Coordinates of all heavy atoms in Angstrom, one line a residue:
Y70 N -9.3 13.7 -1.1 CA -10.0 14.3 0.0 C -9.2 14.2 1.3 O -8.8 13.1 1.7 CB -11.4 13.6 0.2 CG -12.2 14.2 1.2 CD1 -12.9 15.4 1.0 CD2 -12.3 13.7 2.5 CE1 -13.6 16.1 1.9 CE2 -13.0 14.4 3.5 CZ -13.7 15.5 3.2 OH -14.4 16.2 4.2
R72 N -9.4 14.4 5.2 CA -10.3 14.5 6.4 C -9.9 15.5 7.3 O -10.7 16.2 8.0 CB -10.4 13.1 7.0 CG -11.1 12.1 6.2 CD -11.8 11.1 7.0 NE -12.4 10.0 6.1 CZ -13.5 10.2 5.5 NH1 -14.2 11.3 5.6 NH2 -14.0 9.2 4.8
G75 N -10.9 18.7 5.8 CA -12.3 18.8 5.5 C -12.7 19.2 4.1 O -13.8 19.7 3.8
R76 N -11.8 18.9 3.1 CA -12.0 19.3 1.7 C -11.1 18.5 0.8 O -10.1 17.9 1.3 CB -11.8 20.8 1.6 CG -10.4 21.3 1.9 CD -10.2 22.7 1.6 NE -9.0 23.2 2.0 CZ -7.8 23.1 1.4 NH1 -7.7 22.4 0.3 NH2 -6.7 23.6 1.9
V77 N -11.3 18.7 -0.5 CA -10.5 18.1 -1.5 C -9.2 19.0 -1.5 O -9.3 20.2 -1.5 CB -11.2 18.0 -2.9 CG1 -10.2 17.6 -3.9 CG2 -12.3 17.0 -2.8
V213 N -10.3 22.7 11.3 CA -11.6 22.1 10.8 C -12.3 21.7 12.1 O -11.8 21.0 12.9 CB -11.3 20.9 10.0 CG1 -12.6 20.2 9.6 CG2 -10.6 21.3 8.7
D214 N -13.6 22.2 12.3 CA -14.3 22.0 13.5 C -14.8 20.6 13.7 O -14.9 20.0 14.7 CB -15.4 23.0 13.7 CG -16.5 22.9 12.6 OD1 -16.2 22.2 11.6 OD2 -17.5 23.6 12.7
A215 N -15.1 19.9 12.6 CA -15.5 18.5 12.6 C -15.1 17.9 11.3 O -15.1 18.5 10.2 CB -17.0 18.5 12.7
M216 N -14.8 16.6 11.4 CA -14.5 15.9 10.2 C -15.7 15.7 9.4 O -16.8 15.5 9.9 CB -13.8 14.5 10.5 CG -12.5 14.7 11.2 SD -11.7 13.2 11.7 CE -11.7 12.1 10.4
R217 N -15.6 15.8 8.0 CA -16.7 15.7 7.2 C -16.5 14.7 6.0 O -15.3 14.5 5.7 CB -17.1 17.0 6.6 CG -17.4 18.1 7.7 CD -18.3 19.2 7.2 NE -18.7 20.0 8.3 CZ -19.7 19.8 9.0 NH1 -20.5 18.9 8.8 NH2 -20.0 20.7 10.0
T218 N -17.5 14.1 5.5 CA -17.4 13.3 4.3 C -17.1 14.1 3.1 O -17.2 15.3 3.1 CB -18.7 12.4 4.1 OG1 -19.7 13.3 3.7 CG2 -19.1 11.7 5.4
A219 N -16.8 13.4 2.0 CA -16.6 14.1 0.7 C -17.8 14.9 0.3 O -17.7 15.8 -0.5 CB -16.1 13.1 -0.4
H220 N -19.0 14.5 0.8 CA -20.2 15.2 0.4 C -20.6 16.3 1.4 O -21.6 16.9 1.3 CB -21.3 14.2 0.3 CG -21.1 13.1 -0.6 ND1 -21.0 13.3 -2.0 CD2 -20.8 11.8 -0.4 CE1 -20.7 12.1 -2.6 NE2 -20.5 11.2 -1.6
G221 N -19.7 16.6 2.4 CA -20.0 17.7 3.3 C -20.7 17.3 4.6 O -20.8 18.1 5.5
E222 N -21.2 16.0 4.7 CA -21.9 15.7 6.0 C -20.8 15.4 7.1 O -19.7 15.0 6.8 CB -22.7 14.4 5.8 CG -23.8 14.5 4.7 CD -23.4 13.9 3.4 OE1 -22.5 13.1 3.4 OE2 -23.9 14.4 2.4
P223 N -21.2 15.5 8.3 CA -20.3 15.2 9.4 C -19.9 13.7 9.3 O -20.7 12.9 9.0 CB -21.1 15.4 10.7 CG -22.2 16.4 10.3 CD -22.5 16.1 8.8
F224 N -18.6 13.4 9.6 CA -18.1 12.1 9.5 C -18.3 11.4 10.9 O -17.8 11.8 11.9 CB -16.6 12.1 9.2 CG -16.0 10.7 9.2 CD1 -16.3 9.8 8.2 CD2 -15.0 10.4 10.1 CE1 -15.7 8.6 8.1 CE2 -14.4 9.1 10.1 CZ -14.8 8.2 9.1
A225 N -19.1 10.3 10.9 CA -19.4 9.6 12.1 C -18.3 8.6 12.5 O -18.1 8.4 13.7 CB -20.8 8.9 12.0

Side-chain angles (χ1 to χ4, degrees):
Y70 184 79
R72 294 210 182 276
R76 61 176 171 79
V77 173
V213 176
D214 60 352
M216 291 176 52
R217 303 205 173 271
T218 68
H220 304 291
E222 299 99 24
F224 178 68

